[in-house]
Amino acid sequence: MNNMNQNNGMQKRMLIMTVVVFVFFIAYEFLVLKPQQEAKAAQAKVEQTTQENSAPDVKTSTTQMVSTDVNGNPIDMSNQVAALSPKTIASSQIVSVIKTAKNIIEIDTLGRVAQVTLTQEKYKDEDLNQIKLFEVNQLRPLEVRFADANLNAEAFKVATVASSANIDATSNVQELVLTQTLSNTVLTKKFTIYPDGHYDLKVSSTNNQQFFITNGYRPNVLADMYAVHGFIAKLNDSTLETIEDGDLDKNKDIIGAKFISSFDRYYTSLIYNFEKSLSVSLMPDSNSDVQAFVHGGSNISFSGFMGPKNHRDLEALNPELIDVIDYGWFTFIAKPMFLLLQFIQSYVGNWGWTIVILTILIKLVLYPLSYKGMVSMQKLKDLAPKMKDIQAKYKDDKQKQSMHMMELYKKHGANPMGGCLPLILQIPVFFAIYRVLLNAIELKGAPWMLWVHDLAEMDPYFVLPILMGASMYLQQKITPNTMQDEMQKKIFQMLPIIFTFFFLWFPAGLTLYWFVNNVFTISQQYYINKMFERKRAEKQKAE
């Protein structure tokens, strides 16, 4: 059996490891990833961008070609983009504009989706402009590539003709036909567009010309290290295959997919067919991000959607599409937790108070574990003088020291790991709710109290982060601490300040959860402390 020093050492190492990993997790985002993302965005404005315009035949090598206009001339991105937003598409490139009740879809001269603008009031960026999903230099949704290399090269030089320059599908289902007439085939895309923003699409080519069609590169609105972003496919056996950005190092085929989705934290570009499965080839781009191409043969039909990963909207299209929302490792806990969150919200009507209620419910469910951990820490605190005496008496005989320690634990019903194990068991629940609140687009534009106007954004006045830090400090003060090492004590005393600093930029909904969680942890700890004080007082009277 391990002696007290070993047990305490193990407990402290586990706690320190958890804290260090968490701090590194947050610090890496703000000190490394954010500067890299900003530098990359700035570079995209002044550098010419290249794309792989060859068909995704995994048996042949692909060729790099500069982006071209319909006349075959290279597009000088440095001149265009420098003066415009990286998400602004020149009007000369647009052949049709589709308006639905929820978005505006712009179709470019090559029959691709050039841009999707979300028109609902809550979908605004930091400059209060309506959110646009795609960058001009990304692989665009519904781009077609032919297996015939010569035909494919021609297709990037011939303009598509639209049946209508403007489509109003805000209240009724509408149709749009795009036709591209090439020397050896006619490519036709027939859209059925619905007011909710999704579409059905039939694509065909004459003369049996084989083609591929893509759902495009993921939306580039919010991609950070906190949430998963990249590509996900649901296979016929209902398993999910997720490939995060930067993880695809070679071509890969997927046979039998129900849907494919390229996604960032809140938004998706989605192709699905639940009647006839999709065959898909994945190709890495220069950053090892996924480029997905559906095998179209010479004729294919499917449905698609480009927009927010709103649970109810996806479920309305097809219940299986809720799997587009990826919560990472703890999805199996996070999904039912979100359903509970949504259920509570349907009665409460406010997402902020819903988070408060959910946090209280979680604390009540986990109370038995928390109680055991807190009681164990109090017992160890009470036994500290006796443990110190044993360590001093048997400092030269570790075996006897360990034996007498275990006798002491057994006599008083103490467990040296009792304070740590309940904490470890609660970690999956914590990370599940963390992922839920981080990925829930439903919080976008949701207000709480007077000063929080958007629970998906940071608290504009830092009230919640400061309250969270203060509650963390108070929790630390009233929690028994058996640490002997002064350096470790100082590190833990600094944690409320460190966490407050990083939580300044966290979504207000997540900070609210952590603050309420701290408040109820303090209440529980206060109750346990008072209970032990009464027991000590009764024991002293009895003596």
Side-chain angles (χ1 to χ4, degrees):
M1 303 294 290
N2 292 330
N3 60 36
M4 181 58 191
N5 284 331
Q6 291 171 326
N7 284 323
N8 267 349
M10 182 185 296
Q11 184 179 7
K12 286 183 280 189
R13 283 195 296 273
M14 291 178 73
L15 288 170
I16 291 171
M17 181 185 70
T18 303
V19 171
V20 169
V21 168
F22 187 85
V23 171
F24 173 80
F25 181 77
I26 301 171
Y28 185 72
E29 160 72 5
F30 291 100
L31 302 180
V32 179
L33 290 187
K34 272 188 178 288
Q36 286 180 352
Q37 291 168 357
E38 291 170 0
K40 187 176 179 180
Q43 186 178 10
K45 293 183 180 182
V46 296
E47 290 186 356
Q48 180 177 344
T49 304
T50 63
Q51 288 183 339
E52 295 176 351
N53 285 336
S54 58
D57 183 353
V58 296
K59 297 180 181 179
T60 61
S61 61
T62 58
T63 57
Q64 293 283 338
M65 294 180 64
V66 176
S67 297
T68 59
D69 61 21
V70 294
N71 298 315
N73 300 315
I75 298 174
D76 186 355
M77 301 302 293
S78 62
N79 290 335
Q80 263 188 277
V81 184
L84 298 170
S85 161
K87 293 187 176 180
T88 301
I89 310 296
S91 58
S92 60
Q93 294 184 40
I94 305 303
V95 296
S96 186
V97 177
I98 304 164
K99 293 183 179 180
T100 74
K102 296 184 177 180
N103 60 27
I104 297 173
I105 305 170
E106 298 174 74
I107 306 296
D108 72 9
T109 51
L110 295 181
R112 309 171 299 187
V113 174
Q115 190 57 272
V116 173
T117 304
L118 305 181
T119 55
Q120 291 176 283
E121 180 63 24
K122 71 175 183 176
Y123 296 117
K124 289 187 176 182
D125 60 22
E126 60 275 9
D127 298 319
L128 299 181
N129 297 318
Q130 295 301 138
I131 287 175
K132 297 179 184 294
L133 297 185
F134 304 112
E135 304 279 357
V136 297
N137 58 343
Q138 293 177 335
L139 176 68
R140 298 183 182 181
L142 306 186
E143 179 175 303
V144 167
R145 298 187 184 180
F146 289 94
D148 184 312
N150 293 327
L151 186 62
N152 191 61
E154 181 188 359
F156 277 89
K157 300 177 182 178
V158 176
T160 292
V161 176
S163 61
S164 177
N166 292 282
I167 299 289
D168 186 355
T170 54
S171 56
N172 296 301
V173 177
Q174 299 290 338
E175 293 187 349
L176 172 67
V177 179
L178 303 175
T179 306
Q180 188 180 38
T181 304
L182 306 174
S183 58
N184 198 27
T185 191
V186 176
L187 180 71
T188 305
K189 297 177 180 175
K190 295 182 179 180
F191 285 88
T192 302
I193 303 142
Y194 297 84
D196 62 6
H198 91 280
Y199 62 85
D200 297 332
L201 180 63
K202 295 180 180 179
V203 188
S204 62
S205 61
T206 60
N207 296 330
N208 199 36
Q209 290 293 339
Q210 305 295 297
F211 63 84
F212 305 83
I213 188 166
T214 180
N215 66 324
Y217 187 71
R218 63 165 172 76
N220 195 23
V221 181
L222 184 58
D224 53 37
M225 73 172 293
Y226 300 127
V228 178
H229 45 85
F231 170 86
I232 188 170
K234 185 169 187 177
L235 309 184
N236 287 339
D237 62 3
S238 293
T239 59
L240 299 173
E241 181 159 352
T242 304
I243 304 174
E244 295 188 42
D245 284 352
D247 285 353
L248 186 67
D249 56 0
K250 60 182 178 180
N251 292 351
K252 178 181 177 66
D253 284 341
I254 295 178
I255 307 299
K258 295 182 178 182
F259 71 68
I260 60 171
S261 166
S262 297
F263 63 94
D264 69 359
R265 181 159 152 188
Y266 288 144
Y267 307 96
T268 179
S269 179
L270 174 67
I271 285 176
Y272 60 96
N273 191 327
F274 293 100
E275 296 178 358
K276 186 176 181 181
S277 60
L278 308 169
S279 294
V280 187
S281 287
L282 309 181
M283 300 167 58
D285 64 10
S286 58
N287 296 317
S288 295
D289 297 343
V290 173
Q291 298 179 110
F293 289 88
V294 177
H295 295 236
S298 61
N299 192 313
I300 190 173
S301 298
F302 56 80
S303 299
F305 171 75
M306 297 158 290
K309 294 185 289 183
N310 183 291
H311 192 282
R312 285 190 173 129
D313 291 346
L314 292 172
E315 188 176 31
L317 296 177
N318 189 292
E320 292 195 63
L321 288 179
I322 62 174
D323 287 330
V324 168
I325 307 170
D326 191 340
Y327 297 111
W329 292 348
F330 298 104
T331 295
F332 69 100
I333 303 176
K335 279 191 175 180
M337 195 169 289
F338 176 81
L339 292 177
L340 176 60
L341 191 73
Q342 189 170 249
F343 174 78
I344 296 170
Q345 196 275 338
S346 67
Y347 286 94
V348 176
N350 180 281
W351 282 102
W353 291 115
T354 297
I355 291 170
V356 172
I357 293 171
L358 179 67
T359 308
I360 296 171
L361 288 175
I362 291 171
K363 293 299 292 183
L364 291 174
V365 170
L366 296 178
Y367 179 72
L369 282 175
S370 301
Y371 179 83
K372 284 184 178 181
M374 291 175 179
V375 167
S376 182
M377 292 298 291
Q378 281 285 1
K379 286 181 178 180
L380 289 175
K381 180 184 176 182
D382 289 348
L383 293 176
K386 294 181 180 180
M387 290 188 292
K388 198 169 183 180
D389 291 341
I390 292 174
Q391 289 169 352
K393 186 174 181 180
Y394 300 103
K395 63 180 179 180
D396 297 324
D397 191 337
K398 298 298 181 184
Q399 188 173 357
K400 283 188 176 181
Q401 185 185 102
S402 177
M403 182 181 68
H404 284 282
M405 285 289 189
M406 294 311 300
E407 288 176 357
L408 185 66
Y409 299 152
K410 188 175 181 180
K411 180 180 178 181
H412 295 275
N415 183 351
M417 292 298 293
C420 198
L421 286 175
L423 173 65
I424 293 172
L425 293 173
Q426 293 177 63
I427 285 176
V429 176
F430 165 74
F431 275 106
I433 189 66
Y434 169 84
R435 286 294 183 186
V436 165
L437 296 178
L438 201 63
N439 287 276
I441 185 65
E442 287 79 1
L443 299 184
K444 182 69 179 172
W448 182 73
M449 301 298 278
L450 295 176
W451 76 95
V452 178
H453 304 295
D454 190 339
L455 287 166
E457 300 291 336
M458 57 183 276
D459 184 330
Y461 301 107
F462 309 118
V463 175
L464 285 173
I466 292 171
L467 289 175
M468 188 282 302
S471 64
M472 190 174 181
Y473 173 79
L474 181 57
Q475 178 185 336
Q476 195 179 79
K477 278 291 184 184
I478 69 170
T479 301
N481 188 346
T482 59
M483 289 183 184
Q484 302 297 322
D485 186 84
E486 289 300 321
M487 181 58 69
Q488 290 177 355
K489 286 183 180 180
K490 289 179 180 179
I491 291 173
F492 274 81
Q493 287 169 359
M494 290 293 294
L495 287 182
I497 299 173
I498 295 171
F499 274 57
T500 300
F501 174 77
F502 287 119
F503 266 76
L504 294 176
W505 292 275
F506 266 37
L510 186 59
T511 311
L512 174 62
Y513 161 74
W514 201 309
F515 166 62
V516 175
N517 182 75
N518 285 352
V519 169
F520 277 84
T521 301
I522 291 168
S523 301
Q524 291 173 355
Q525 187 67 63
Y526 181 79
Y527 169 75
I528 300 293
N529 291 354
K530 287 296 183 183
M531 182 180 71
F532 269 81
E533 285 177 11
R534 286 196 302 269
K535 287 184 178 180
R536 291 188 196 106
E538 290 171 2
K539 187 177 180 181
Q540 287 174 356
K541 286 181 179 179
E543 293 174 352

